[in-house]
Amino acid sequence: MKYGQWLSLIVLAVCLYILWRIQTIVLLGLTAIVFAIVMNRAVGFLQKWVDSRKLAILILLAFVILVVGVFGAVIAPPFISQLQDLINLTPDILDRVQNLIDLLQRSLPSFLFADGGSLTSITQQLQSIDFEMVFGRFYKLFSNTLTITLNILLVVVLTLMMLINPSPYRHLFVRLFPSSIRQRVWHVMDECESVIAGWFIGILFNMLIIATLSTVGLLILGVPLALANGLLAGLLAFIPNIGPALSVVPPAAIALLEKPWLAVAVIILYIIIQQAESNILTPMVMKKQVSLLPAMTLLSQVVFAVFFGILGLFLALPLTLIIQNWLKEFWVEGFLDQR
């Protein structure tokens, strides 16, 4: 291998190491890019009626601030109150689970519960946890630190800077590539922008529908804290595969305090909602924009969560879509299909 090739490998290794060391900044920058792409599509839509781009941006920002304000003033207070009630109910829920385990162990043959002692041990350990203290510390860690404030501020500033005038950033990125493939880079960037915008609109629509259906369904069943659990189901719908499985646990646990059959009804309700989302909403809203195999979606979430934490989990799907488009253009069509 020539010295130039060795030098290129060393430079690449150093760059990858630097990127790994500043991975949080990189992820925050990617978050800003995703928001800028989505908002740029909205600005383009507004410019059909408003000639000035700056005026369109101001209208969009005013709408976003209005939505956030309404959510903070109308929805957030009862949600936080009901979430606190849910935390307070946790010890009672664990007591009910322990009683059901004891009842099943007495009623059914013993060989079916060879590991019953381990189940009892787990519930006893959970009962010994002060959940209010745990959630309280968790809340303080993520809401009362200077770091999280600066991170949010960085994302907002970067998003606005790229939104106001995106062209220089696109040109700068394209110039990093040889002139022979710049046209293809432009094409991939357009494809990525279209896919991310479609994904974001689709996921927001799904979140809204799931939150509404979950809240209404829980109210019909008479499950306490329906609003908190419905909103939680909608928020967790942002994370495909993993989110829906997690969202059923709190309402089913609360229903278990009321009547055992009610917990089963809640699980059935959530299965019906998720089946409707998977077989009706997702194909209808996102099929044309997002074409990822379910296994690839789950695998990408696990990988990004392991390497980059909670922020990687939230960015897993858009980043996977970006990687898929680049690989399709330059590896599959540009290399494999040419052989």
Side-chain angles (χ1 to χ4, degrees):
M1 187 177 290
K2 297 180 180 180
Y3 290 110
Q5 293 175 323
W6 278 109
L7 181 61
S8 299
L9 287 176
I10 293 173
V11 171
L12 177 62
V14 171
C15 291
L16 291 176
Y17 175 76
I18 293 174
L19 288 175
W20 179 258
R21 296 292 297 178
I22 60 171
Q23 59 178 281
T24 301
I25 303 298
V26 174
L27 288 174
L28 292 173
L30 290 172
T31 303
I33 291 173
V34 171
F35 284 137
I37 288 174
V38 174
M39 296 180 72
N40 186 56
R41 279 301 179 97
V43 169
F45 178 77
L46 289 174
Q47 283 188 284
K48 294 179 180 179
W49 293 275
V50 180
D51 293 334
S52 172
R53 179 177 178 85
K54 291 183 179 180
L55 180 58
I57 293 175
L58 288 176
I59 294 174
L60 177 62
L61 291 178
F63 176 75
V64 171
I65 293 173
L66 177 63
V67 171
V68 173
V70 170
F71 182 86
V74 179
I75 300 177
F79 173 70
I80 294 173
S81 175
Q82 291 192 13
L83 191 62
Q84 181 64 43
D85 293 338
L86 176 59
I87 295 170
N88 294 335
L89 286 174
T90 303
D92 296 333
I93 293 171
L94 293 174
D95 285 336
R96 177 59 64 89
V97 172
Q98 179 64 56
N99 292 336
L100 285 177
I101 292 174
D102 294 339
L103 179 62
L104 290 174
Q105 286 178 330
R106 291 193 300 266
S107 304
L108 298 177
S110 59
F111 69 87
L112 295 176
F113 291 91
D115 295 328
S118 61
L119 292 175
T120 303
S121 175
I122 292 172
T123 54
Q124 289 175 348
Q125 291 176 14
L126 289 173
Q127 286 173 326
S128 66
I129 300 175
D130 187 343
F131 282 91
E132 185 171 0
M133 179 189 69
V134 171
F135 279 97
R137 290 183 177 179
F138 181 85
Y139 176 79
K140 289 181 180 179
L141 176 65
F142 286 96
S143 63
N144 295 335
T145 61
L146 179 62
T147 302
I148 193 68
T149 304
L150 292 176
N151 288 344
I152 293 175
L153 183 61
L154 176 64
V155 171
V156 171
V157 171
L158 288 176
T159 301
L160 291 177
M161 291 175 66
M162 288 184 285
L163 180 63
I164 292 172
N165 191 9
S167 296
Y169 302 99
R170 289 173 62 98
H171 282 89
L172 178 63
F173 180 76
V174 171
R175 287 182 63 85
L176 296 176
F177 296 87
S179 58
S180 59
I181 63 171
R182 286 176 183 171
Q183 190 64 35
R184 296 173 65 187
V185 172
W186 274 106
H187 173 69
V188 175
M189 292 176 66
D190 291 338
E191 289 292 322
C192 290
E193 180 175 338
S194 177
V195 168
I196 290 176
W199 160 78
F200 194 84
I201 294 171
I203 204 69
L204 282 183
F205 180 78
N206 284 2
M207 289 169 64
L208 177 62
I209 296 298
I210 289 175
T212 303
L213 292 178
S214 300
T215 302
V216 172
L218 293 174
L219 286 172
I220 294 174
L221 291 175
V223 178
L225 310 180
L227 176 62
N229 285 300
L231 289 178
L232 188 61
L235 292 173
L236 289 175
F238 188 85
I239 310 173
N241 301 318
I242 300 174
L246 295 176
S247 65
V248 72
V249 176
I254 294 174
L256 190 62
L257 287 178
E258 301 292 319
K259 301 170 186 176
W261 68 264
L262 190 57
V264 177
V266 168
I267 294 174
I268 294 174
L269 169 68
Y270 273 61
I271 291 175
I272 293 173
I273 292 174
Q274 293 307 323
Q275 288 300 312
E277 187 269 339
S278 300
N279 298 309
I280 300 176
L281 292 178
T282 297
M284 181 179 66
V285 179
M286 300 180 68
K287 186 176 181 179
K288 294 182 179 179
Q289 290 87 355
V290 179
S291 56
L292 277 178
L293 296 174
M296 291 300 297
T297 302
L298 180 59
L299 183 61
S300 68
Q301 291 173 322
V302 173
V303 170
F304 279 100
V306 168
F307 282 98
F308 306 113
I310 188 67
L311 188 56
L313 178 62
F314 282 104
L315 288 174
L317 194 53
L319 291 182
T320 302
L321 291 171
I322 292 173
I323 293 172
Q324 176 182 263
N325 277 273
W326 282 91
L327 289 177
K328 177 183 176 182
E329 179 69 28
F330 289 99
W331 177 250
V332 178
E333 297 180 359
F335 179 71
L336 296 180
D337 291 349
Q338 302 298 324
R339 301 189 68 178

